[in-house]
Amino acid sequence: MKALEQRILKEGKCLPGGTLKVDSFINQQMDPMLMESIAEEFSHIFSDSGINKILTIESGGIAPAIMTGWKMKVPVVFAKKSLPSTMENILSTTIFSFTKNREYEVYVSRDYLHEGDRVLFIDDFLANANAAKGIIDLIHQAGAELTGMGFLIEKAFQHGRGPLEKAGIRVESLAVIESLDGCRIRFQNE
Ligand code: 5GP
């Protein structure tokens, strides 16, 4: 997606260890107009997948997920990183965080993710696919069906796509970064 790539080139900052900072338009300040274009793109890509629900993880995935849910007219559920005392029928899984370099639990209620659901997972980044694997586990526990995964930014040099595609999952990324070597952002299609 050209508009996203151009924005990454203009405002993205690379940090040591292969991390890309996009706080000015995705991860802290958010650009609703760009999010709308992203949602348009995802709703087009996944228009034939018959989903009835979008699942994401707080917090980076929430904005693109809710905009896509609005376009596709389906509810959006987010896995929470802390357990609210009010949550019932809890499903949980452990995920290794790339940015924080530690494990954390995520929680979702069976009330909002269950058998019969056809789920699209949306997240801001695909790196090593740890978050994606946690989501697959939650979807399995719920007895729901995963129809695909959409990422805003995939860092191809961290190879998260391989295991997901091997498991038969449809993976769609709007901007695919081939390398951040020398702090130069290089896209796959360059
Ligand atoms: P994975 O689980 O695929 O290794 O990493 C994906 C998760 O880690 C995403 O949910 C995202 O929040 C975070 N993440 C991974 N790489 C980056 C990055 O380069 N920049 C930012 N801001 N977050 C990242």
Side-chain angles (χ1 to χ4, degrees), residues 76-116:
V76 177
V77 177
F78 66 95
K80 291 179 171 248
K81 289 182 177 167
S82 60
L83 181 59
S85 59
T86 50
M87 191 184 275
E88 294 174 308
N89 304 317
I90 301 158
L91 298 170
S92 72
T93 195
T94 307
I95 291 176
F96 181 80
S97 165
F98 171 78
T99 45
K100 297 194 176 83
N101 196 28
R102 63 170 166 80
E103 289 189 330
Y104 62 97
E105 286 291 301
V106 294
Y107 308 91
V108 71
S109 171
R110 250 185 220 283
D111 297 352
Y112 308 116
L113 182 67
H114 43 73
E115 211 179 319

Side-chain angles (χ1 to χ4, degrees), residues 18-23 27 57 60 81 95-99 104 123-132 155 158 180:
T19 299
L20 181 71
K21 185 172 166 176
V22 287
D23 282 16
N27 288 135
I57 303 187
K81 289 182 177 167
I95 291 176
F96 181 80
S97 165
F98 171 78
T99 45
Y104 62 97
D123 203 5
D124 53 356
F125 278 90
L126 172 62
N128 300 296
N130 291 309
K155 294 184 293 177
Q158 285 166 324
L180 289 174

Side-chain angles (χ1 to χ4, degrees), residues 126-129 151 154-156 158-167 169-173 176 188:
L126 172 62
N128 300 296
F151 300 94
E154 174 179 344
K155 294 184 293 177
Q158 285 166 324
H159 308 294
R161 177 183 284 265
L164 300 178
E165 286 189 334
K166 223 178 218 166
I169 296 163
R170 178 179 180 191
V171 178
E172 303 279 355
S173 303
V176 181
Q188 197 162 61

